[in-house]
Amino acid sequence: MPIDIDKGFMELVQLHEREWGTELYPNRPSLADLLNAPIVAVWVGEPTRSPTTSARSKLHVSSSSATRSRIMLSVHRRLEELDPIILSLVLAGKNTPLANRKLLYLFVQQKPVKVLGVRLLLEPIT
């Protein structure tokens, strides 16, 4: 599914709402959350069922490749909230709900930004 970043934030939000409709995935933000969040991350990958997902919000996850290619969005108040998510994508063996997703785009105040790098912090093993 080619996604054109030049379409902008609102077009991606509209695409997300059309593709998912009333289906849920873990921590799926509401439309109001998407429009009011200072930071919105755009992901692609297969949604996973969270062990804490309530019976009322059980996921309907199809095994088709179309489902796996739909974009998913997450909202954040501060960039630091993305640190553990990005860390789980980098480190093997970390099992998180976002571990099987790929970060496509990042929007700050509904404007696209580019990740220039990730800082690696090391600690000796004792």
Side-chain angles (χ1 to χ4, degrees), residues 25-27 47-54 57-59 61 96-97 101:
Y25 55 79
N27 302 315
T48 57
R49 184 181 303 260
S50 169
T52 59
T53 303
S54 70
S57 63
K58 291 270 188 210
L59 299 177
V61 179
T96 67
R101 296 184 187 180

Side-chain angles (χ1 to χ4, degrees), residues 3-124:
I3 299 172
D4 185 4
I5 188 66
D6 294 330
K7 286 186 173 183
F9 178 77
M10 290 305 295
E11 287 82 0
L12 285 170
V13 169
Q14 290 171 348
L15 174 65
H16 174 264
E17 293 300 303
R18 280 194 307 271
E19 286 186 343
W20 284 99
T22 58
E23 285 184 78
L24 298 175
Y25 55 79
N27 302 315
R28 178 182 171 183
S30 69
L31 179 57
D33 291 339
L34 292 170
L35 297 177
N36 295 313
I39 301 166
V40 175
V42 181
W43 309 87
V44 69
E46 185 175 349
T48 57
R49 184 181 303 260
S50 169
T52 59
T53 303
S54 70
R56 195 178 121 236
S57 63
K58 291 270 188 210
L59 299 177
H60 169 68
V61 179
S62 166
S63 61
S64 73
S65 61
T67 298
R68 286 190 295 272
S69 66
R70 290 191 280 185
I71 62 170
M72 292 164 278
L73 306 179
S74 62
V75 297
H76 309 277
R77 291 185 192 144
R78 300 180 356 247
L79 283 173
E80 291 80 15
E81 292 177 17
L82 290 167
D83 288 346
I85 299 169
I86 301 300
L87 180 64
S88 72
L89 296 176
V90 173
L91 293 180
K94 273 280 217 182
N95 189 11
T96 67
L98 294 177
N100 61 343
R101 296 184 187 180
K102 178 182 174 187
L103 179 64
L104 291 179
Y105 307 115
L106 196 55
F107 290 88
V108 175
Q109 302 300 330
Q110 299 186 4
K111 305 251 186 295
V113 295
K114 179 170 58 171
V115 176
L116 294 178
V118 177
R119 185 175 175 194
L120 182 63
L121 303 174
L122 303 174
E123 179 179 316

